[in-house]
Amino acid sequence: MYIDLLKLKCAYMKFNIIVLLLVGALLWSCTPKTTGPITKDTTSVPDKYNAENPVKLAVVISVDQMRYDYLERFGSLFTGGLKELSEKSTIYTQAYHEHSMTATAPGHATLSTGCYPMNHGIIGNNFYNQKTKRSIYGVSDPSVSLIGGAQAAPGVSPKNLKRNALGDHLKKASSKSKVFSVAIKDRTSILLGGKKPNHAFWFDNGSLKFISSSYYGRSLPSYIDEMKAMDLYADEIEKGWHKKLPDEAYKLSREDNFIFENGQFLPEFPHTKKRTAGFIRPEMKNTMIMRLTPLGDKYVLDMAQKIIQEEQLGKDDKTDILFVGCSNADAIGHHFGPMSQEVQDYYLWLDEYLETFIAYLDKTVGRANYVIGLSADHGVLTMPEELSKRNIDAKRISGKDFLDMITQAEKAAATQLGVADSLFLSAGSAGITPDYALTRKKGHKDAKVRQVIAEALEELDLVEEVFTLETLAAPNGQEMQELFRRSSYPERGHHIKMRYKENYLAGYSNNGTTHGSPYDYDQHVPILFFGGKIPAQKIDRKVATVDLAPTMARLIGLQPKEKMDGEVLLEAVMSQ
């Protein structure tokens, strides 16, 4: 992991020396990457769009929970789209998220805006609102309603996103450009698409089709009705999920039957509607197949093709953008873990699905006319039980045990402050907010209360370090402090945050696994760029996920005026 990076703006491609001299002053600065608040513009000119740019379509693909090591671990088995992307792209082997709360919502907002959570405001999938004193969903919006869903549900929109996304910059500079987004998860599609896309779509569990929000319009396009999952994949849903390759191909992964896998499906292949846990209701089994197998992301990529076709993306001289979120990779990773045969098999199927998608782009848009950027919102922790077998210090802290530990710290702090035991107004794995009304009555200053609680929490076995509003107020040169600072936003989130020990799974579940830490296994993801004139090369230097948006912008001839934390990755753009 890293924070202060010396981003050497050195070109590794062979260019005409005259061109290098012309662009050198603009692009070859050797300054450290700034930490903390943004202190510089990514460009000194207003929003600008190069109408002469030959790129007609930009596609940003996020594979939820994709660790970088999957490309290397499974690479020898790829024969389709992932093979082509790995071999014919500019790929960065040392790309990291540079914030501590590595989760779906902040990860996708970071990819789309080129900013850290401290600037775009999406610090978690859910976050505690200090004004309302309650936790809210990151994309919740009571002022809007869902369109097309089987049942009424709370409204969602990008209302909580505080920075413009890549698509917003394009729309400001080129009003005739089109921006669309699609994913299984609502927060993925919404936060990738930004504030003003033409539309964003996501999957509805009840109707088994794509839906949207009234934020984007009063109705859905007519082609949505042509994309009902039960009409398109009835046979696949009935068949279920079977291994793509013979058993011997899965020696790269652990045994198929692993007791700590989540319990919705039976642990070993095949995963079918008949091989589900007894608590799964019959009417939910079709949904399970669409949400917890590779088929769901095939559906997303098929929908992406449908959007390109129906909306005529990439058909004129104005660049369009399509955001695609492959969300089921996350559900499968949570359920089975990164070392499972299921995760390996998912990527073998994704390899096939992406081959079909790339072939469609080649045929309808032309490879010279499109660019793809691919990354991930976060990685995932290998199950602690697997790590323990390798003599690695790792532990699963059950929800009950975690609650007991937090209660122990609460009582210790309350005793020291001379207040009742119910000292915590809100507490969970994401952090703690004290009941200031209680402590102020005793004459305690808020900063002292936070310090006392932090000291009590640091006595817990699973806690490595504790941060408060005071310790996160300004950069102090410490890597972990900066990661947590970048996951903080005024009035959002808890006033006290804990860094757990590496490989410790705190308060999650008795099976499965998750993410959300500042460690490499959650931060290290792929970043690659493909298509157009982008060269095939592997770049082994540290870069950040905030760099994806400014690099995609440069690839399509766009120069946003608004500040970003990220920088243009020169190796990918110098030929474009």
Side-chain angles (χ1 to χ4, degrees), residues 285-326:
K285 292 190 176 185
N286 289 341
T287 301
M288 272 189 64
I289 297 295
M290 293 303 301
R291 293 296 300 252
L292 198 51
T293 76
L295 182 60
D297 286 340
K298 180 181 190 299
Y299 185 31
V300 168
L301 288 163
D302 287 347
M303 179 63 175
Q305 293 184 42
K306 189 69 171 178
I307 294 170
I308 293 170
Q309 174 189 331
E310 296 293 337
E311 302 293 349
Q312 293 292 286
L313 302 189
K315 293 299 184 182
D316 56 27
D317 61 352
K318 301 298 183 184
T319 300
D320 303 318
I321 301 181
L322 175 63
F323 295 92
V324 181
C326 295

Side-chain angles (χ1 to χ4, degrees), residues 240-252:
W241 181 11
H242 295 252
K243 288 182 182 178
K244 195 174 196 302
L245 298 179
D247 286 344
E248 54 267 23
Y250 296 85
K251 293 179 180 178
L252 297 170

Side-chain angles (χ1 to χ4, degrees), residues 111-165:
L111 292 173
S112 68
T113 65
C115 297
Y116 299 121
M118 67 185 297
N119 291 310
H120 63 60
I122 307 298
I123 61 171
N125 292 338
N126 302 277
F127 50 80
Y128 187 74
N129 186 316
Q130 290 290 340
K131 290 183 177 179
T132 63
K133 306 301 181 188
R134 63 186 181 89
S135 181
I136 65 170
Y137 185 39
V139 292
S140 65
D141 184 355
S143 71
V144 301
S145 57
L146 295 187
I147 302 289
Q151 297 177 338
V156 287
S157 83
K159 174 184 176 181
N160 296 320
L161 185 65
K162 297 303 182 181
R163 286 299 181 100
N164 285 323

Side-chain angles (χ1 to χ4, degrees), residues 540-561:
D540 188 24
R541 69 178 177 94
K542 289 182 177 178
V543 300
T545 51
V546 289
D547 298 332
L548 184 132
T551 303
M552 288 297 292
R554 186 65 62 86
L555 284 169
I556 62 176
L558 178 66
Q559 294 180 305
K561 181 180 180 180

Side-chain angles (χ1 to χ4, degrees), residues 207-208 227-235 237-238 273 286:
S207 63
L208 272 68
M227 295 297 294
K228 296 178 180 177
M230 285 304 298
D231 293 342
L232 297 172
Y233 312 114
D235 290 343
I237 290 173
E238 289 304 313
K273 293 197 295 182
N286 289 341

Side-chain angles (χ1 to χ4, degrees), residues 120-411:
H120 63 60
I122 307 298
I123 61 171
N125 292 338
N126 302 277
F127 50 80
Y128 187 74
N129 186 316
Q130 290 290 340
K131 290 183 177 179
T132 63
K133 306 301 181 188
R134 63 186 181 89
S135 181
I136 65 170
Y137 185 39
V139 292
S140 65
D141 184 355
S143 71
V144 301
S145 57
L146 295 187
I147 302 289
Q151 297 177 338
V156 287
S157 83
K159 174 184 176 181
N160 296 320
L161 185 65
K162 297 303 182 181
R163 286 299 181 100
N164 285 323
L166 176 63
D168 301 320
H169 294 301
L170 178 62
K171 298 280 277 190
K172 286 173 63 178
S174 174
S175 60
K176 293 184 179 180
S177 291
K178 290 168 280 190
V179 177
F180 285 84
S181 184
V182 61
I184 291 291
K185 294 181 182 179
D186 56 358
R187 58 186 179 273
T188 297
S189 183
I190 289 168
L191 294 171
L192 284 177
K195 297 180 178 181
K196 296 294 181 182
N198 293 72
H199 230 121
F201 307 106
W202 53 89
F203 183 73
D204 177 56
N205 288 346
S207 63
L208 272 68
K209 68 174 186 177
F210 287 104
I211 64 170
S212 191
S213 164
S214 62
Y215 175 88
Y216 305 101
R218 296 182 178 180
S219 62
L220 294 173
S222 58
Y223 58 82
I224 291 292
D225 286 334
E226 300 173 23
M227 295 297 294
K228 296 178 180 177
M230 285 304 298
D231 293 342
L232 297 172
Y233 312 114
D235 290 343
E236 289 95 328
I237 290 173
E238 289 304 313
K239 179 181 178 182
W241 181 11
H242 295 252
K243 288 182 182 178
K244 195 174 196 302
L245 298 179
D247 286 344
E248 54 267 23
Y250 296 85
K251 293 179 180 178
L252 297 170
S253 303
R254 59 161 160 72
E255 68 273 21
D256 194 14
N257 190 341
F258 190 67
I259 192 172
F260 289 98
E261 293 177 354
N262 206 323
Q264 296 181 56
F265 281 123
L266 298 182
E268 68 278 359
F269 277 105
H271 300 300
T272 68
K273 293 197 295 182
K274 293 181 179 180
R275 291 175 50 79
T276 59
F279 62 84
I280 303 297
R281 302 193 309 272
E283 66 271 20
M284 290 301 298
K285 292 190 176 185
N286 289 341
T287 301
M288 272 189 64
I289 297 295
M290 293 303 301
R291 293 296 300 252
L292 198 51
T293 76
L295 182 60
D297 286 340
K298 180 181 190 299
Y299 185 31
V300 168
L301 288 163
D302 287 347
M303 179 63 175
Q305 293 184 42
K306 189 69 171 178
I307 294 170
I308 293 170
Q309 174 189 331
E310 296 293 337
E311 302 293 349
Q312 293 292 286
L313 302 189
K315 293 299 184 182
D316 56 27
D317 61 352
K318 301 298 183 184
T319 300
D320 303 318
I321 301 181
L322 175 63
F323 295 92
V324 181
C326 295
S327 306
N328 280 20
D330 182 68
I332 292 167
H334 276 293
H335 194 293
F336 298 103
M339 300 306 294
S340 66
Q341 296 187 24
E342 284 82 359
V343 164
Q344 176 181 336
D345 198 62
Y346 166 84
Y347 283 95
L348 298 178
W349 284 109
L350 183 64
D351 180 49
E352 177 182 311
Y353 303 156
L354 287 173
E355 179 179 30
T356 301
F357 183 64
I358 291 170
Y360 178 82
L361 291 176
D362 289 342
K363 180 179 179 180
T364 59
V365 183
R367 186 163 299 189
N369 300 319
Y370 72 81
V371 293
I372 292 175
L374 183 147
S375 190
D377 53 346
H378 54 75
V380 69
L381 169 65
T382 298
M383 289 187 187
E385 294 78 13
E386 291 185 68
L387 296 173
S388 295
K389 290 194 297 184
R390 306 177 208 165
N391 295 318
I392 295 173
D393 181 23
K395 187 178 292 185
R396 181 186 300 272
I397 311 296
S398 71
K400 180 184 180 302
D401 289 345
F402 177 76
L403 179 60
D404 289 344
M405 290 180 180
I406 294 299
T407 301
Q408 172 189 331
E410 181 182 27
K411 289 180 177 180

Side-chain angles (χ1 to χ4, degrees), residues 525-550:
V525 297
I527 288 182
L528 64 82
F529 302 94
F530 172 87
K533 297 178 182 178
I534 298 169
Q537 55 184 333
K538 185 172 286 190
I539 307 300
D540 188 24
R541 69 178 177 94
K542 289 182 177 178
V543 300
T545 51
V546 289
D547 298 332
L548 184 132

